[in-house]
């Protein structure tokens, strides 16, 4: 499989989300235009400045890039990057990222700097390289997909962000409050992978496609996304007051040592209710919530995303040490 044609004069079609992160959108736009002008690169910016515009602009950017032999670029947080990647996957276009979010796990695991000027230098000088994409019922996830408690945590975190702003401290505070509330539902699921089936009762099923995030929480199969697989993590249904302890162990990079955690790598896995009746379920993909039909099929996408990125990712290499 060969990368898309790419050169010093390849035009850029950039989807810039004004709602991502805490940065000044005008300053980011000016930095993009200045860097492209200095490099002699044509660019077209699609400014997402209201609800409902992200996906249409992502599709238009891909259409223009296909017609003009260009690069599709996502400028925003992991949710924005996910939406633009969904439109780009399978298009034959190269993909670029200018991270503007709070955690930026996708860009960090691939060595793309958080600073806009430095990320622009990567975008303007590096070639496209193949990176793995995860799918759940054909919905793209680049970082993770989850159901149960973790999806609920993400949903409640958005309320905290609206009230207290976007920051890592806000996200951590929201997680602690959600876990301390109790009353977390357990799911009875049937998992099928590698020719075997297993019934599982769990509070949350998390599927990771980001080696950096998995290394930071201390999962044994953290490099599964670098080896053509995904990593499943299930939280066993212990007493609810044990959940904050799991959060602490994850923060300390020791989640894989917890008795309440089951984890394993896979390339394709079907998840369905252990009993009939459940037709749809709320699933979070890269922090965005979706209602998906059961059964769920988690798998590695058959083709890669051609991401413009450096050959080495220093933060991921450091996490492996």
């Amino acid at each position: 499989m060969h990368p898309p044609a790419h050169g010093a004069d390849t035009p850029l079609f950039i989807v810039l989300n004004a709602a991502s992160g805490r940065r000044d959108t005008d300053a980011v736009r000016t930095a993009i235009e200045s860097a492209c002008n200095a490099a002699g690169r044509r660019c077209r910016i699609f400014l997402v400045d209201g609800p409902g515009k992200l996906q249409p602009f992502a599709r238009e950017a891909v259409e223009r890039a296909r017609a003009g032999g260009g690069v599709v670029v996502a400028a925003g947080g992991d949710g924005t990057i996910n939406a633009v990647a969904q439109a780009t996957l399978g298009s034959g276009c190269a993909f670029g990222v200018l991270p503007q979010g709070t955690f930026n796990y996708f860009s960090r695991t691939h060595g793309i700097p958080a600073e806009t000027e430095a990320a622009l230098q990567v975008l303007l000088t590096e070639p496209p390289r193949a990176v793995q994409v995860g799918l759940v019922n054909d919905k793209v996830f680049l970082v993770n997909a989850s159901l149960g408690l973790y999806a609920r945590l993400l949903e409640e975190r958005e309320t905290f962000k609206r009230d207290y702003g976007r920051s890592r401290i806000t996200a951590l505070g929201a997680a602690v409050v959600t876990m301390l509330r109790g009353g977390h539902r357990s799911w009875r699921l049937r998992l099928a992978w590698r020719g075997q089936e297993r019934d599982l009762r769990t509070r949350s099923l998390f599927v990771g496609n980001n080696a950096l995030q998995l290394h930071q929480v201390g999962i044994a199969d953290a490099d599964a996304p670098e080896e053509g697989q995904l990593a499943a993590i299930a939280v066993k249904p212990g007493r609810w007051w044990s959940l904050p302890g799991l959060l602490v162990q994850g923060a300390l990079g020791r989640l894989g040592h917890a008795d309440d955690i089951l984890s394993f790598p896979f390339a394709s896995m079907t998840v369905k209710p252990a009993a009939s009746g459940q037709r749809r379920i709320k699933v979070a993909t890269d922090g965005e919530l979706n209602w998906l039909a059961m059964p769920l099929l988690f798998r590695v996408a058959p083709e890669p995303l051609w991401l413009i990125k450096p050959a080495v990712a220093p933060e991921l290499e450091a996490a492996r040490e």
Side-chain angles (χ1 to χ4, degrees):
M1 192 175 295
H2 299 289
H6 181 265
D9 59 349
T10 304
L12 306 175
F13 298 89
I14 303 169
V15 181
L16 171 60
N17 194 344
S20 294
R22 296 168 290 169
R23 307 186 191 189
D24 184 335
T25 302
D26 290 337
V28 172
R29 182 168 192 160
T30 298
I32 293 171
E33 292 173 339
S34 296
C36 289
N37 287 336
R41 294 283 287 274
R42 291 175 293 141
C43 74
R44 165 79 183 273
I45 296 176
F46 301 87
L47 181 62
V48 180
D49 56 1
K53 292 185 177 181
L54 177 54
Q55 292 180 344
F57 277 158
R59 290 192 293 267
E60 184 176 353
V62 171
E63 289 171 4
R64 302 244 179 190
R66 291 184 70 177
V71 178
V72 181
V73 181
D78 284 331
T80 301
I81 294 168
N82 175 289
V84 181
Q86 179 86 49
T88 306
L89 185 67
S91 68
C93 298
F95 183 66
V97 168
L98 297 174
Q100 307 289 309
T102 303
F103 291 98
N104 298 318
Y105 270 117
F106 179 69
S107 56
R108 289 161 58 200
T109 204
H110 293 296
I112 299 171
E115 298 75 19
T116 299
E117 290 76 10
L120 280 163
Q121 286 307 303
V122 169
L123 180 63
L124 293 169
T125 59
E126 295 288 349
R129 294 181 166 94
V131 302
Q132 176 174 290
V133 174
L135 297 174
V136 51
N137 289 15
D138 296 323
K139 175 71 177 172
V140 161
F141 63 97
L142 303 175
V143 181
N144 60 60
S146 62
L147 56 95
L149 175 59
Y150 190 78
R152 177 182 169 187
L153 186 155
L154 291 173
E155 187 172 22
E156 296 190 0
R157 190 177 75 184
E158 290 306 306
T159 302
F160 273 70
K161 285 181 178 180
R162 287 193 295 270
D163 293 340
Y164 304 109
R166 294 176 178 269
S167 71
R168 296 189 183 192
I169 296 298
T170 299
L172 179 60
V176 171
V177 169
T178 299
M179 289 186 173
L180 288 175
R181 280 178 178 159
H184 305 300
R185 175 181 178 180
S186 291
W187 296 85
R188 296 187 62 84
L189 303 172
R190 179 163 295 163
L191 280 54
W193 78 101
R194 291 181 179 173
Q196 60 181 310
E197 286 194 0
R198 174 169 180 167
D199 286 346
L200 179 70
R201 188 164 166 255
T202 181
R203 294 186 186 276
S204 185
L205 178 64
F206 176 100
V207 177
N209 186 38
N210 185 278
L212 176 61
Q213 185 179 56
L214 296 170
H215 272 289
Q216 288 186 340
V217 299
I219 294 299
D221 299 302
D223 277 325
E226 302 296 304
E227 298 167 353
Q229 298 189 92
L230 302 168
I233 305 169
V235 180
K236 298 176 184 178
R239 299 183 183 276
W240 69 265
W241 55 78
S242 68
L243 295 175
L246 293 179
L247 186 65
V248 171
Q249 286 183 285
L252 295 175
R254 296 181 54 81
L255 192 63
H257 298 282
D259 293 336
D260 292 337
I261 292 295
L262 169 70
S263 67
F264 56 89
F266 69 92
S268 178
M269 178 175 69
T270 301
V271 177
K272 59 184 179 181
S276 60
Q278 184 81 27
R279 294 185 177 181
R280 294 200 310 156
I281 192 167
K282 191 177 290 185
V283 178
T285 52
D286 295 344
E288 303 298 316
L289 294 168
N290 317 270
W291 281 100
L292 299 182
M294 292 288 257
L296 303 176
L297 174 60
F298 293 92
R299 62 191 175 106
V300 174
E303 57 187 304
L305 192 65
W306 291 100
L307 177 67
I308 295 176
K309 72 184 192 85
V312 177
E315 194 170 355
L316 177 58
E317 293 302 316
R320 287 172 169 153
E321 295 177 356

